[in-house]
Amino acid sequence: MIPLPTLSRGGLLPDDRKTLTRGSAIWNAALPTQCVVPLHQHAGAAAEAVVAVGDRVREGMLIGRAVGRNSAHVHAPIPGVVTAIRSGEVYPGRPSACVVIDLEGEFDRLGKPLAPAEWQQRSARDLLRNLRECGVVGMAGGGIPADNKYTIPRGVEIEHLIVNGAESEPYLTATHRLMLEKPAEILEGARIAAHIVGARRVTIAVGRDKRDAVAAFRRLVRERGLPFSVRAVSLAYPAGDEKLLIRELVGREVPAGRLPIDLRVIVSSVATIHAVYEAIAFGKPVVERVVTVAGSMVRTPSNVKVRIGTPVGALLAECGGLIDTPARLVLGGPMMGYTVADMATPITKTTTGVLALGTDEVNDGERTPCIGCGRCIRVCPVGLEPVTLVKMLERDRPGDAAAAGLADCRECGCCSYVCPSHIPLTETLVQGRRRNGGGAP
Amino acid sequence: MSDSTSRSESGTRAPFLHEPPQVHERISSGEILATSLFCLLPAAAWGTRIFGLRAALVLVTAVLSSLVVEAIIVRLFRARFHPVEAEAAPGWHAAFVGLVIGMMMPPAVPLGIVIGATVFAIGVAKWTFGGISGIWLHPALTAWVFLAYSWPDAMTRWTAPATLPPDGVTSATALGLLRVAAERGEVVIGGLAGYLGRVGVPRTALDAAVTGWFNEVVSGRFATALPAGYVDLFLGNHPGAIGETSVALLLLGSVVLFGRRIITWEIPTAFFLSFASLTWVFGGQPYGAGLFSGDVLFHLLTGSVVFAMFFIATDPSCAPRTASGQIVFGLGAGALTVLFRRYSGGAEGVTGALLVMNILTPAINQLFRPRRYGWSLRASR
C-alpha cells in the first residue's frame, strides 16, 4: 500500500491483491459433512440452544433462539443430527457454545427454486419480525441484528439509506462478486430495507475500483426507474467504514460518541441487504454466505458460497488446499480480521474472508524505536495521533488517552500498517479501549 | 489464548495468533535511516574527491566514532533506557548522524574535534533524551554549534578544492567572501558569483564551457544571460564543508528520498519558498541594490541550504509530524536562514535557523494537530 498524498484525510491506497479473486465467480461449496454452528455470531447475547444432542434437524430449522433485543436466531445450515453441543471459539477471546450437526437426510431448499414473495403490502413491523425470524445480522462484521438496526425510534425520520459496497479491505472481493452477480436482488433488498426504515433517499455506494458493478447498478436503476443514486466512492482503505462513508456521501460527520441514526442515516452492507432480500422474498434464514478465500498460500483463491458452521479447514480444502504453511490464517480482511489457530474454527454469519497469508504478505518485523515520522498521524482517517495515544497508554495514563480521542478510534489498522518501527499501535489502542470501557466502534 | 498450534483437517499446521492488522507495509525504520545515509554518499564522495583523502578521513572518523560512542553509552547505561531503544543501538541512526556531522565539517578540521562533535551529538543530544524517540534538537546541528563556539578558528578554516585551477587566491567560502563585501559596503551588481570572479576566485573550464553553451542555446532566447561561476557552484567546485558543496549530487540523493517516500514535500517546499522569496526581496540590500533584486540562485547554491533542506530539516525525529506543522516549520526555517545569513555572527545561517525551529517543534506539534472526525472546532478546543 502507498500512503495517500499528504494533507489528505488519511487512509491508504492499497496494493489490495484483489486481482487474486476479482474474476472468480461465486461457486457453491460442497456441503460439509459436519457443521459447527456457534450460538454467538452476532452482537448482543448468545442465542439459547433449542435442540438437544440426538435431535434430528432440517435445513433452516431454528436451533438457537435469540436472547434479548441485540441477539439473533441461529438456524441449522445443513440437515442432520445434533451430535454435540460444546464450547468453541468464534474468534480468539470469544468463546461460544456451538451446535455440532452431522450431515444426514434430505434437503428442503437446495435446488428447489421458489418465486419471490410479494412484500409491498406488508407492514414494517411484519417485515421486521420476518428478519428476526430469519436471523439476519450485519454481515460485514458488525453482527448487529437487522431487525434491531432497522427498528427506528419513535419520532425519528430516516432520511437516507446507504448500501455499503465500498469493500475497501484488501483481498476481499466477495461483495464485488455479489454485486456483479446479484444486482437485481440487492436493489430489491435495498427497496425492502428503505421501506422498513422509511428512508427518503437510497444510495448504493460502490468502491471506485469496481466500475463494472457501478455500471451494472446504474443500468438496472435506470431500467427500473428506481429513485436510487449509485455512487462510486473512494477506494482508499478504510473508505467502507460506516462513519467515513457517511462523511463522503452525506458531507457531514457523525458527532463523536453518537450514531449514524443521529444524522438520520442508516448504513447497511451489501451482504446484509442481500440477506434481507432472501429473508423477505423467500423466507430464507441466514444459513450460508459468500466468503473470499485468498492469500498467497491458497492454491485456488475463490469466492465461495458456504454454509455457516463449515470448518475453515474444510473450506480451504475445497479451494485446493494450502500450498504451504501460512504465516497467518485470518478470518475477515487483512486489516481488521483475526488470526485463528484452529482449522476447525467455523465460518460464521460475519466472516467476510478466509486468508492464508505468506510471510511476504505479512511483512512482520521487530519493534524498533519510534523515529517520529508521523506516518501514523497522516494515515489516521479520523484525525487521531496514534503514537501519542499509545505513549499515554503505555505510560498508564488512560485518562489522557481518552481526552485525546481514544474513543474515536475506528480500529482500522492503518497506523500499525504503516509504522516503519513496527510499533503495535492499533493493537495497543484496541486493548486500551477494551480495558477502559471504550466498547466496539 | 495460548500460542499453541493445532493440526488441521488438511494436515497443515495452523499459525500463531495475532491481532489485526495482519499485514504490514514493506518498510522499516532501519531501511529509512539506511536509505537516508546512502543518499548522502554521492555528495560525500564528491567532498573526498575535491578535498582529498583528508576529507575521507574526517567522514570515516565521524561515522565510526558515532557508532562507538553509541555502543559505549548503551552498554554503560542500558538499564536507564527503554529496552526497545537500547536494543536498536548502535544502529543506522548513529551512522547517519555521524555522516551528517562529517559532511558539515571543514576538510582540514582536526580529527579530535570531529570525535568531540560525535560525543556531543550522540552522548548529549541523543541519549540524554533517551534515544531516537526522545530527540528534540538535531544531534548534528547541536554538535556543530558546540564546535563553532568551542573552536571557531578550526571551524572556519577552509580548503581550496582540487578541481579549481591552482592559482586560487583564496580558500574562503563564497558566502564568507560576500559577507566581507557587504561589510565593506561594496556594491555588487549583476550576480553575486560575478563578484567572486572579480576578487580572484578561479573558475573551471567546465564552468566556462557550460555557461557559454547555456547562454547561447537557452538564455539568449529570454534576453537574459547566466553570469560566470554558477555552474561551478552548482557542481560543487568551491570551498566549503565536505558534504555541502555539490548541490547537484545532493539533489540527486533527494530524488531518491522522495521516490522512496522517505521524505515528503512539505518541509523542503516550504523551506524553499520562504528562503527564495525572502532572498529575492531582501537579498540585494547588503550589496547596494534595492528590494526585489536578491540573487536567489547564488544563495541556494552556496552554504548548506540544499543539504539542510533535504537531509537535516526533514529529519523525522525533530521535525513536526503533521503536514500543516511541517509547512510552518519549513517556512520558519527558510525565513530564519535569510535573517541569520544577513545579521548573525557567521556567514552561514541555516544551522541556527533549524535549531530554532527544532526548539519550536513541540509548540508547533501542539498547535497544528490533525482535525478530529466528529468534533466541531469549538468542541475540540
Side-chain angles (χ1 to χ4, degrees), chain A residues 120-338:
Chain A
Q120 278 84 348
Q121 306 307 320
R122 297 170 64 185
S123 68
R125 181 191 287 255
D126 181 30
L127 292 168
L128 285 170
R129 195 180 310 121
N130 192 158
L131 292 181
R132 185 164 184 82
E133 274 158 14
C134 289
V136 179
V137 303
M139 293 179 69
I144 294 170
D147 61 292
N148 190 13
K149 187 164 190 169
Y150 295 164
T151 301
I152 308 304
R154 200 176 296 279
V156 177
E157 280 194 16
I158 294 300
E159 175 74 31
H160 204 156
L161 171 72
I162 295 173
V163 179
N164 185 352
E167 200 174 41
S168 55
E169 271 260 6
Y171 290 83
L172 303 185
T173 58
T175 299
H176 186 183
R177 292 307 310 184
L178 197 59
M179 292 189 292
L180 279 181
E181 297 174 29
K182 308 272 185 197
E185 288 84 345
I186 292 161
L187 289 180
E188 191 68 6
R191 286 181 67 196
I192 297 167
H195 173 72
I196 295 173
V197 302
R200 295 204 194 110
R201 292 172 57 199
V202 176
T203 300
I204 315 287
V206 182
R208 199 163 287 147
D209 54 331
K210 305 176 237 306
R211 289 167 195 281
D212 43 2
V214 174
F217 277 132
R218 291 212 166 121
R219 197 175 53 245
L220 269 179
V221 164
R222 201 166 42 240
E223 277 171 12
R224 303 187 174 189
L226 293 171
F228 294 0
S229 71
V230 180
R231 292 270 301 270
V233 298
S234 167
L235 44 81
Y237 177 82
D241 179 277
E242 189 171 72
K243 288 191 168 181
L244 303 178
L245 196 61
I246 289 172
R247 173 167 71 187
E248 183 170 354
L249 291 175
V250 184
R252 290 170 64 195
E253 295 180 355
V254 181
R258 308 286 290 281
L259 294 169
I261 200 167
D262 294 320
L263 291 186
R264 302 193 295 164
V265 179
I266 296 263
V267 182
S268 259
S269 69
V270 163
T272 311
I273 290 289
H274 184 252
V276 166
Y277 168 76
E278 293 201 314
I280 301 297
F282 304 114
K284 183 183 163 187
V286 179
V287 292
E288 58 188 2
R289 67 158 299 140
V290 183
V291 172
T292 300
V293 183
S296 63
M297 290 298 125
V298 176
R299 209 172 296 272
T300 318
S302 319
N303 285 303
V304 190
K305 189 185 256 186
V306 60
R307 297 290 158 133
I308 306 300
T310 304
V312 168
L315 179 56
L316 285 168
E318 270 217 67
C319 295
L322 295 173
I323 295 168
D324 202 350
T325 308
R328 296 189 187 187
L329 180 64
V330 180
L331 287 192
M335 298 299 284
M336 294 185 77
Y338 278 84

Side-chain angles (χ1 to χ4, degrees), chain B residues 202-358:
Chain B
R203 297 166 60 198
T204 61
L206 184 66
D207 179 81
V210 173
T211 306
W213 171 85
F214 187 81
N215 285 334
E216 218 167 89
V217 178
V218 186
S219 50
R221 296 189 192 168
F222 304 103
T224 59
L226 179 69
Y230 287 94
V231 174
D232 272 346
L233 291 178
F234 178 68
L235 294 178
N237 294 314
H238 58 106
I242 294 170
E244 73 180 22
T245 60
S246 179
V247 172
L249 292 174
L250 288 167
L251 286 177
L252 181 75
S254 76
V255 168
V256 178
L257 289 184
F258 276 116
R260 301 291 318 274
R261 293 172 188 271
I262 285 169
I263 60 175
T264 52
W265 61 270
E266 287 88 351
I267 291 176
T269 308
F271 193 145
F272 172 80
L273 287 178
S274 78
F275 178 79
S277 58
L278 288 172
T279 299
W280 177 59
V281 175
F282 299 109
Q285 284 193 315
Y287 316 109
L291 291 174
F292 304 104
S293 63
D295 190 340
V296 177
L297 193 57
F298 178 86
H299 276 277
L300 272 176
L301 299 181
T302 55
S304 53
V305 173
V306 171
F307 180 44
M309 198 182 284
F310 294 110
F311 292 94
I312 300 179
T314 53
D315 191 310
S317 38
C318 36
R321 290 163 174 170
T322 61
S324 50
Q326 290 178 352
I327 289 171
V328 171
F329 179 91
L331 291 175
L336 288 178
T337 305
V338 174
L339 193 72
F340 290 168
R341 275 198 175 183
R342 182 154 173 199
Y343 294 111
S344 78
E348 182 60 86
V350 72
T351 315
L354 283 177
L355 276 175
V356 171
M357 294 316 292
N358 280 171

Side-chain angles (χ1 to χ4, degrees), chain A residues 6 89 243 253 256 327-329 334 337 339 341 343 362-363 372 375 378 382 385 405 408 416-417 419-421, chain B residues 1 6 8 13-15 17-18 20 22 24-26 28-29 133 261 265-266 316-317 326 369 371-375:
Chain A
T6 50
E89 267 187 334
K243 288 191 168 181
E253 295 180 355
R328 296 189 187 187
L329 180 64
T339 51
M343 285 285 188
V362 172
N363 294 316
R375 284 166 195 235
R378 285 173 186 238
V382 290
E385 298 175 36
D408 295 343
S416 281
Y417 179 86
C419 178
S421 295
Chain B
M1 282 299 292
S6 64
S8 72
R13 198 174 282 273
L17 295 170
H18 294 274
Q22 310 296 348
H24 197 278
E25 193 178 352
R26 199 181 306 239
S28 70
S29 296
S133 51
R261 293 172 188 271
W265 61 270
E266 287 88 351
S317 38
Q326 290 178 352
R369 305 205 117 137
R371 203 188 66 77
R372 276 160 65 182
Y373 180 104
W375 295 78

Side-chain angles (χ1 to χ4, degrees), chain A residues 35-40 84-90 95-100 346:
Chain A
C35 271
V36 181
V37 189
L39 292 170
H40 198 184
I85 296 178
R86 60 168 169 79
S87 168
E89 267 187 334
V90 185
S96 164
C98 298
V99 176
V100 182

Side-chain angles (χ1 to χ4, degrees), chain B residues 13 34 46 49 58 66 104 172 183 203 268 304:
Chain B
R13 198 174 282 273
W46 174 262
R49 160 155 160 61
V58 172
S66 290
M104 293 171 82
E183 277 161 9
R203 297 166 60 198
S304 53

Side-chain angles (χ1 to χ4, degrees), chain B residues 34-49:
Chain B
T35 310
S36 307
L37 187 148
F38 286 117
C39 288
L40 278 177
L41 288 182
W46 174 262
T48 66
R49 160 155 160 61

Side-chain angles (χ1 to χ4, degrees), chain B residues 155-181:
Chain B
M155 290 302 287
T156 50
R157 201 174 300 130
W158 307 101
T159 308
T163 44
L164 284 182
D167 58 333
V169 293
T170 174
S171 56
T173 64
L175 275 183
L177 287 170
L178 260 300
R179 190 171 181 90
V180 172

